[in-house]
Amino acid sequence: MNRLISTTLVAFAFAVGAKADGGSIVPGGNWNDTKGAAINAHGGCVQYADGFYYWFGEDRNGMKCNGVSCYRSSDLYSWTRVGLALTPTGTMTDENRDIAKGRTFERPKVVYNATTGKWVMWVHWENGSDYGQAKVCVAQADKIEGPYTLVDVFRPNDHDSRDQTLFLDTDGRAYHICSTNMNTNTNIALLSDDYLTPTATENLQLLGKKYEAASIFKVGDIYYGLFSGCTGWTPNRGRYTYTYDLLGQWVSGNDFKDQDGSTGINFCIDKGKDNTYQSQSAYVFPVQGKDKCFVYMGDRWNSGNVQSSKYIWLPVSIRSGYPAVRWYDSWNLSIFDNMYRYKRVAEVEDGGEYCLLERNSDRVVSRPKSSLSLEDDGESNIFFVFHKTDIPYIYKIEEKATGKYIESLFGSLRFQTEVDKDTQKWVLVLEEDGYYHIQNYSDGACISVSGNETMAGTPVYLNEKDKNIHQSFALYFDSEKHPEYVEADMYSKSYREKNRELMAAQDEAMSIEGISGSQDLYSDIAVADGHVTISGMQGSTVVTVYTVSGVYVAGARGTSVSFDLNPGIYLLRICDKVVKVRIS
Ligand code: GAL
């Protein structure tokens, strides 16, 4: 009891004059060190050693650079200033290879080299008047907090290098990642064994994308990168990449184009996401002792006085398989305790109890009121019992709490008493990353999300009009209720490989064969340029074309139905007759 009281008092003492009050982080707040002075460590990084976190950053006096500062903390809330880890020294020379006072030092990054036993720091270096030098300054130290002594100032492999970071892989290899070619491309270079120079092993990435502020982290076999666009001190929309091979191709959501034409999927999902909650990424670091728990470090720049820029630190979730950063006015490390409570299920089991996690929002389909929406984890999250049908890939989906079944009725999603009708059957169409689009067996409408939005409260509905527009949902289980369920190995490289095989099998099973819904004979089938028209049904019956496994292809109410097919040979079973159709 005594211990409890004294801990509380200490926590309270830290709260005085500080936004990190010994128990929380307030993004954008005034964050003071343990002596009450504003923390001065911008564009930085956090490393962990011997029981302490060390925060390095740009130490600024207004716009001027004082060097690289270092702060220490055991809890991530209260920070004690250690001092300058890299102190400007010497005089400016025309060679531009010095670290004299007056030079610009930005985005310092530090890693430990287990082979040499040294701490290595890379910093973006400029001459102090402009951003034309685009060099790095490399320094090293015996102790994490420094002092760091200069090794050299140079352009890595002769590339212009502005925003830059280091990434230390689990195999001990380290990489330098920088914006290059006037911030047009991103270069990644494997470092020498001592981490002091780049090797010739390098690769240009994200060609023409103008990404900045790279922050790389790894989960399982997946490397994630958070970036900003390139608008100087002004914040813009964040975007992420991922890859299984750092020197190979990085995936950057090419398919997604923002209004300004920039590519990449946003890692922010809440209000304020269009400018990364007014911040620019600096680093992502893991929280000690907590699996898959990371902190996003961003800077809310004050372009006229960098010293007074604020820090935006937020938890990063990758439970969806992709990085998602939510906004919190204030948070503490307990946020991570429940972050991974819902886990992706390895295989859909008959009778399994799952919720639907939507891919882009990292949010769960819920029913706070009568209609469905995406919501944060909580009471309104709906758990469904998945029932296999006798057709592969097709399930009936029962709402656990009410025993009602989801049904597509007159174009909307309803919860109904169970009936043996196709309207209550749902096809799970697998995607490479383990998500499904969920399509109604009867009318082909897909479960979708209004406006492709990501925020809590976004309506979930049936998209009837354009069958190609759907959202992707993965099946998650509550690991507290069902510790016996098997979690998908979703951060492994083999996960996607296995899914690709499963998709091929599903594709095959889905090759077109079957039409149902009409008792009437058709009188004609016409094929032209991949377009199939079956016509002459009597009356205005509902006609639906399925694949062998029952996946919806097309449907119409009326006397004809038409649809497009990719080139191939198809067997169409139409009203008990099998017709062979060749599409070339
Ligand atoms: C940003 C960069 C900052 C700083 C700034 C100067 O693009 O991320 O670190 O260099 O430009 O305008």
Side-chain angles (χ1 to χ4, degrees), residues 106-107 131 163 212 232-233 280:
E106 287 187 355
R107 298 188 172 267
Y131 282 89
D163 279 10
E212 275 194 337
W233 299 114
Q280 185 181 28

Side-chain angles (χ1 to χ4, degrees), residues 116-127:
T116 61
K118 306 259 189 201
W119 289 87
V120 178
M121 178 187 285
W122 286 55
V123 192
H124 172 197
W125 186 99
E126 296 290 353
N127 64 9

Side-chain angles (χ1 to χ4, degrees), residues 426-463:
W426 298 88
V427 192
L428 297 187
V429 185
L430 183 64
E431 294 164 19
E432 188 186 299
D433 55 2
Y435 281 81
Y436 298 100
H437 66 262
I438 303 177
Q439 194 170 29
N440 190 264
Y441 181 48
S442 170
D443 61 14
C446 284
I447 301 185
S448 195
V449 167
S450 184
N452 218 344
E453 254 312 338
T454 58
M455 290 181 230
T458 299
V460 172
Y461 71 114
L462 265 186
N463 195 330

Side-chain angles (χ1 to χ4, degrees), residues 330-531:
S330 164
W331 62 281
N332 61 38
L333 296 182
S334 70
I335 207 122
F336 294 112
D337 295 347
N338 279 322
M339 188 175 268
Y340 295 96
R341 173 173 169 174
Y342 296 170
K343 298 183 187 303
R344 174 99 50 101
V345 71
E347 260 174 57
V348 190
E349 304 277 355
D350 188 27
E353 199 182 311
Y354 314 117
C355 61
L356 300 176
L357 184 105
E358 194 278 319
R359 178 163 58 197
N360 294 330
S361 61
D362 190 29
R363 290 192 154 103
V364 181
V365 172
S366 310
R367 195 137 80 116
K369 300 198 187 95
S370 62
S371 56
L372 296 178
S373 51
L374 296 177
E375 300 292 343
D376 293 336
D377 295 8
E379 290 301 305
S380 65
N381 296 165
I382 306 182
F383 279 83
F384 296 106
V385 182
F386 278 66
H387 299 280
K388 280 193 172 160
T389 65
D390 46 13
I391 316 166
Y393 309 108
I394 296 186
Y395 293 82
K396 296 186 80 173
I397 305 176
E398 177 192 356
E399 187 186 22
K400 169 87 179 158
T402 59
K404 301 269 173 144
Y405 282 71
I406 53 169
E407 181 163 359
S408 170
L409 260 192
F410 309 116
S412 68
L413 211 50
R414 306 278 178 93
F415 289 81
Q416 299 287 114
T417 311
E418 187 185 9
V419 285
D420 187 24
K421 279 193 184 159
D422 291 353
T423 46
Q424 282 190 2
K425 293 177 185 161
W426 298 88
V427 192
L428 297 187
V429 185
L430 183 64
E431 294 164 19
E432 188 186 299
D433 55 2
Y435 281 81
Y436 298 100
H437 66 262
I438 303 177
Q439 194 170 29
N440 190 264
Y441 181 48
S442 170
D443 61 14
C446 284
I447 301 185
S448 195
V449 167
S450 184
N452 218 344
E453 254 312 338
T454 58
M455 290 181 230
T458 299
V460 172
Y461 71 114
L462 265 186
N463 195 330
E464 257 241 306
K465 290 201 189 86
D466 185 346
K467 307 271 164 28
N468 292 317
I469 295 183
H470 59 265
Q471 239 69 24
S472 301
F473 299 91
L475 272 47
Y476 279 63
F477 64 95
D478 183 343
S479 61
E480 279 183 18
K481 272 200 199 144
H482 290 291
E484 77 283 9
Y485 282 16
V486 182
E487 188 185 357
D489 189 14
M490 60 186 268
Y491 306 101
S492 69
K493 197 174 176 187
S494 58
Y495 182 67
R496 280 181 187 245
E497 284 160 8
K498 195 178 140 212
N499 283 340
R500 277 196 288 274
E501 282 169 24
L502 293 172
M503 285 164 70
Q506 185 167 19
D507 260 5
E508 205 170 296
M510 283 164 63
S511 64
I512 309 303
E513 194 196 316
I515 180 164
S516 77
S518 167
Q519 302 85 8
D520 307 303
L521 284 179
Y522 72 100
S523 60
D524 193 28
I525 175 163
V527 181
D529 297 331
H531 193 70

